Amino acid sequence: MADKLTLYGKEFDSRLLVGTALYPSPAIMREAVAASGAQIITLSLRRQSPAQQQGKILWDYIQESGCQLLPNTAGCKTPKEVIALAEMSREIFGTDWLKLEVIGDDYNLQPDPFGLVEAARELLKRGFRVLPYCTDDLVVCRKLLDVGCEVLMPWGSPIGTGRGLMNKYNLRTLRERLPDTPLIIDAGIGAPSQACEAMEMGFDGVLLNTAIARAQNPVLMAEAFRLAIESGRAARNAGLMLQRQTASPSTPTLDMPFWQQTINSGEES
Amino acid sequence: MQLLVNGETITVNPGDTVSALIQQLGYRGETFAVALNGDFVPRAHYAQVSLSAGDNVDIVAPVVGG
């Protein structure tokens, strides 16, 4: 049975979304993205002079990648900045898709929930397909859905920390209370086991960058994340057993040899 | 007259348009976008939008991102 990830009506086989930053080289980035199996990649816009070639190298890769592009608004602190950058992204990248970031705190890069809702409302009116990077707060997430977002991307933990799923209570609450909304864990994932756990919890996908790009072997780590996410998704679909407090033998106890001897031994003593 | 382009002071002719600025600075192709005083300027408007002294122009291009 096909198990596709559907975002804004578009289907994807891969549930791993990856960033393109922080790699040792563009060549390793390309190889790692391929190894990850990702079909959605994030990128951004920054000031550049005509002499700088970074844009050209990245542009060449973008053209050949075949991936859905997901430009971000990283670093923006106000809806006005976001909207200008979003429009610039749409013109350059030719896509309405947008990873919406409105940063409310420089120290932990925590999303500003108020700016996020305001910006999302305006961007959706302008025809963008908004994937907001948000906190794991249920009410904020509901407000984002109310203004028309079809996908939410709650953080696992602050960007680049590698601390994994920091508030599992909140994340489980989101999953239980928003059962029909595609939820992608974005940011803070440091190890494949953490990504696997997110998928086992029922999240629809994981977006990450640093954990792959900063690995000693980014290509191998990209493959590890791909496998972890596939594994976690399969486990979720298979249905995890319920945890219990006391032990329960898995080997049949009926017809256990020596049983009688044990009783006899007990009688003798 | 003087403008700030990507944070640097640039001198252009009075009445110059965004189009003239782009040409003067040497941007080519379609892998850049422009904002004037924080507002997006669509490519189709470059020839019509005139610049004023003290304007703040941002010219951006694709970069890697997370």
Side-chain angles (χ1 to χ4, degrees):
Chain A
M1 189 182 76
D3 182 30
K4 307 269 190 184
L5 172 65
T6 304
L7 306 175
Y8 285 101
K10 189 168 177 179
E11 290 187 339
F12 301 91
D13 294 315
S14 170
R15 292 174 178 273
L16 173 57
L17 297 74
V18 297
T20 53
L22 303 174
Y23 288 89
S25 71
I28 292 175
M29 182 263 283
R30 282 196 293 272
E31 209 179 330
V33 171
S36 76
Q39 295 170 301
I40 302 175
I41 55 173
T42 58
L43 16 77
S44 197
L45 293 176
R46 285 293 182 265
R47 288 171 167 174
Q48 276 188 38
S49 73
Q52 289 173 287
Q53 286 299 303
Q54 190 191 5
K56 173 77 169 65
I57 294 167
L58 185 61
W59 187 252
D60 290 344
Y61 169 63
I62 288 167
Q63 303 290 46
E64 70 192 37
S65 75
C67 291
Q68 168 66 53
L69 305 181
L70 185 59
N72 69 30
T73 59
C76 288
K77 293 181 177 173
T78 66
K80 179 179 163 61
E81 290 175 0
V82 161
I83 288 157
L85 201 62
E87 293 285 10
M88 294 161 102
S89 288
R90 180 155 63 179
E91 184 176 76
I92 291 182
F93 296 120
T95 179
D96 293 330
W97 287 50
L98 189 74
K99 175 182 167 180
L100 171 59
E101 295 185 43
V102 186
I103 298 303
D105 183 84
D106 284 333
Y107 184 72
N108 62 359
L109 301 178
Q110 182 166 336
D112 168 1
F114 308 100
L116 209 51
V117 174
E118 184 184 337
R121 182 185 289 115
E122 178 58 28
L123 290 164
L124 287 156
K125 271 188 211 162
R126 293 177 181 226
F128 284 92
R129 291 163 195 264
V130 179
L131 292 84
Y133 162 62
C134 55
T135 55
D136 49 28
D137 184 284
L138 175 63
V139 178
V140 173
C141 287
R142 276 195 178 141
K143 297 281 183 196
L144 289 164
L145 295 177
D146 288 345
V147 298
C149 292
E150 293 184 18
V151 181
L152 300 176
M153 302 208 296
W155 66 354
S157 48
I159 295 170
T161 60
R163 300 178 71 87
L165 307 178
M166 204 169 47
N167 191 332
K168 291 179 191 173
Y169 174 83
N170 274 11
L171 292 171
R172 284 202 181 93
T173 300
L174 285 185
R175 185 63 291 172
E176 286 171 12
R177 301 291 294 279
L178 307 173
D180 301 322
T181 301
L183 297 175
I184 293 167
I185 294 292
D186 179 8
I189 296 294
S193 56
Q194 296 163 353
C196 186
E197 185 180 18
M199 299 306 293
E200 287 175 354
M201 286 168 67
F203 286 90
D204 297 279
V206 173
L207 196 167
L208 58 94
N209 189 156
T210 312
I212 293 176
R214 289 293 196 224
Q216 289 181 21
N217 183 335
V219 178
L220 188 55
M221 187 61 80
E223 188 182 0
F225 270 104
R226 178 178 63 77
L227 294 169
I229 284 168
E230 287 175 4
S231 176
R233 178 66 182 178
R236 173 71 177 186
N237 287 343
L240 293 160
M241 65 166 279
L242 293 176
Q243 289 188 9
R244 56 203 301 168
Q245 182 62 28
T246 53
S248 174
S250 47
T251 304
T253 51
L254 194 63
D255 293 333
M256 168 69 191
F258 322 122
W259 192 48
Q260 193 61 38
Q261 288 178 17
T262 305
I263 290 173
N264 290 342
S265 168
E267 284 173 348
E268 287 169 9
S269 61
Chain B
M1 63 180 184
Q2 290 192 322
L3 318 170
L4 272 182
V5 179
N6 287 351
E8 291 185 14
T9 302
I10 301 282
T11 303
V12 300
N13 295 320
D16 266 2
T17 60
V18 171
S19 194
L21 174 68
I22 293 300
Q23 201 169 359
Q24 176 181 327
L25 295 176
Y27 286 93
R28 301 272 185 278
E30 296 188 345
T31 54
F32 64 90
V34 175
L36 175 58
N37 299 320
D39 292 320
F40 169 61
V41 181
R43 186 171 296 274
H45 297 180
Y46 287 175
Q48 287 85 51
V49 176
S50 296
L51 299 165
S52 303
D55 273 348
N56 225 318
V57 181
D58 284 293
I59 305 175
V60 298
V63 295
V64 294

